[in-house]
Amino acid sequence: MTANFLIGLREGLEATLVVVLLMAYLVKTGRRSLLPRLWAGVGIAVAVSIAFGALLTFGPQGLTFAAQEAIGGGLSIVAVALVTWMVFWMARTARSLGGELKSQVDKMADGAAWGLVVVAALAVGREGLETALFLWAAAQAAGESSQPLLGALLGLAVAAGLGYLLHRGVLKVNLSRFFTWTGVGLIVIAGGVLAYGIHDLQEAGILPGLHTLAFDVSAAIPPSSWYGTLLKGTLNLSPATTWLEAGAWLLYVIPVLYFYIRANGSAPAKSPGNAAAENAAASQTASQAANAA
C-alpha cells in the first residue's frame, strides 16, 4: 500500500502541476473561456487511463497460466522502463516544462476548438498511462488485494489537494526536492517490480533458474506476517528470491540510483526566469493567476 501511495502521489502531482500551470496561464492571459476545453482534455485523459488500467486487469483473464505470467512479466519490465525514463525526464526538463506548455497553448488556443483539448489530453494522458501501467505492475508484485488500489487512490487524492492549494497560492512546496527524493523511492520500488517481472518470466518458462534460489528467508520473514506484508508492499521483497531476480535487482537499482543522484546533483543552478515548473515558480504562477481571477 505504501509503495502504491508513493506512486499515486508522485505521478498524480506531476499531472496536477501540468493542469495547474495550464489553468494559471489561461487565466493570466485572459483566456478563461478556454478552461472548458482544458477540462475536457483532462477528462479524456483520465477516462483513457482508467480504461487502460481495466484492460491490464481483466484482459489476461481466460488465458493459460504460462501466457498470463508471460504477459505480466513483460508488462512489468515495460513499466520499469517507463518509470525509469520518467524520473530522468522530470529531472532533466522540469525547469522548462512550464515554458513548453505555454508555447503549446499559444499555438492551439486560437486554432481549432479541439486543439487545446489535445494539448491537455496528451500532457495529462502521458502521466495517466504511465501511472496505470506502473500501479498495475506494482500491485501484481505486491499480490492481489484492494490495498494497492486504496494506496494509489489516497496518493492521487493528496496530489489533487496539494495541486489545489498550489493553485490558490496557499501552499509552497519545494518541488525540486520532492521529485528528487520520490524519484529515489520509485527507483527502489521499480527494482522490486523488475525482479517480480523476471520471476513471472521464469514461471512462464521463458527464463531459466526458477528453482535456483539466491536466498530463502521465508522462515524468518513469513509472507503472511505483518512485517513480511510490509516489506512486500513497500520494497516488493520476495522471501524466496532466485539468483536471476537478485541479479536483476542489483544490476538495475545500483547503477540507476547512481546516475539519477549524479544527474540531480549536477543540475545547473536555477534562475528565476527559467524555473517555471519548479517549486517557487509553480506556486507563484498559480498564485498570480488566482489573484487575477
Side-chain angles (χ1 to χ4, degrees):
M1 181 172 176
T2 304
N4 288 276
F5 174 82
L6 176 61
I7 296 168
L9 177 62
R10 159 87 188 213
E11 299 296 296
L13 189 55
E14 284 189 23
T16 300
L17 285 176
V18 168
V19 176
V20 167
L21 285 169
L22 289 174
M23 288 177 60
Y25 187 59
L26 288 175
V27 173
K28 188 177 181 181
T29 56
R31 297 166 174 169
R32 183 183 292 273
S33 61
L34 298 179
L35 287 175
R37 301 185 193 179
L38 167 64
W39 287 111
V42 172
I44 291 172
V46 171
V48 170
S49 300
I50 293 175
F52 181 57
L55 178 63
L56 291 173
T57 302
F58 302 108
Q61 293 183 1
L63 299 176
T64 64
F65 174 79
Q68 290 185 33
E69 296 301 294
I71 292 174
L75 288 177
S76 294
I77 293 173
V78 171
V80 171
L82 282 176
V83 78
T84 305
W85 170 83
M86 178 269 296
V87 294
F88 279 97
W89 175 85
M90 193 65 181
R92 185 178 66 254
T93 63
R95 291 178 295 278
S96 61
L97 179 60
E100 293 176 2
L101 289 172
K102 292 174 183 177
S103 176
Q104 293 177 17
V105 169
D106 289 335
K107 290 179 181 178
M108 296 294 186
D110 299 324
W114 49 264
L116 188 57
V117 175
V118 172
V119 171
L122 291 178
V124 178
R126 178 187 60 206
E127 303 294 341
L129 292 176
E130 290 177 356
T131 303
L133 178 57
F134 196 58
L135 283 174
W136 175 84
Q140 293 294 310
E144 297 290 342
S145 73
S146 59
Q147 289 189 357
L149 178 60
L150 177 60
L153 291 176
L154 287 175
L156 291 171
V158 172
L162 291 175
Y164 175 78
L165 294 177
L166 286 171
H167 174 62
R168 302 310 301 175
V170 176
L171 180 67
K172 290 186 178 181
V173 179
N174 190 326
L175 295 175
S176 177
R177 184 172 299 175
F178 171 84
F179 283 123
T180 296
W181 285 107
T182 54
V184 170
L186 283 186
I187 289 170
V188 175
I189 293 170
V193 172
L194 175 62
Y196 179 82
I198 294 294
H199 183 78
D200 271 357
L201 295 179
Q202 288 179 311
E203 288 194 325
I206 297 175
L207 294 178
L210 177 60
H211 302 292
T212 307
L213 299 181
F215 59 86
D216 187 352
V217 293
S218 300
I221 308 177
S224 59
S225 65
W226 69 266
Y227 46 92
T229 303
L230 178 64
L231 289 173
K232 185 70 173 178
T234 54
L235 301 178
N236 293 316
L237 174 66
S238 175
T241 298
T242 67
W243 279 106
L244 199 55
E245 290 178 71
W249 192 94
L250 291 172
L251 291 175
Y252 170 80
V253 172
I254 293 176
V256 171
L257 272 180
Y258 169 77
F259 286 112
Y260 178 72
I261 294 173
R262 181 178 178 182
N264 279 278
S266 62
K270 307 172 186 64
S271 64
N274 68 358
E278 294 266 2
N279 166 37
S283 301
Q284 182 181 7
T285 303
S287 177
Q288 290 174 348
N291 293 334

